[in-house]
Amino acid sequence: MDLTKPTPENVTYMIEQIKEKLRMVNVDAMKAENFSTSKYEDLHYMYKMVMKRETITPNEMQAIAAELGSMRS
């Protein structure tokens, strides 16, 4: 998958991967259709950061969720 292209499919893929990695309980709040390609670079950066982490603390998880919330359209 080529994540360098800002497509709706890539947005969906990255959101789903982030939700899985974070084991988010309230997955309805992070529906991929709530994100547009206009914030693609920010989302891609967040995706890469989350995926490279081995563990994520509860505080970091809160911060990531808040940042993702601000990216929703």
Side-chain angles (χ1 to χ4, degrees):
M1 177 168 272
D2 182 7
L3 294 177
T4 61
K5 296 183 174 143
T7 65
E9 293 80 17
N10 285 348
V11 169
T12 299
Y13 175 80
M14 289 190 292
I15 293 296
E16 292 303 316
Q17 292 299 305
I18 291 170
K19 287 191 308 191
E20 188 174 311
K21 178 85 174 191
L22 298 180
R23 295 182 195 97
M24 294 182 78
V25 176
N26 189 5
V27 293
D28 287 337
M30 300 308 291
K31 291 183 179 177
E33 58 265 17
N34 293 334
F35 294 83
S36 76
T37 55
S38 66
K39 299 272 187 172
Y40 190 82
E41 287 183 28
D42 295 335
L43 179 59
H44 190 234
Y45 174 81
M46 181 70 63
Y47 166 79
K48 290 189 301 185
M49 192 255 327
V50 169
M51 291 299 119
K52 73 179 178 182
R53 299 291 305 269
E54 189 67 33
T55 59
I56 299 173
T57 68
N59 285 341
E60 290 170 328
M61 192 178 301
Q62 264 187 329
I64 291 166
E67 186 63 29
L68 287 171
S70 73
M71 289 183 207
R72 293 190 305 180
S73 48

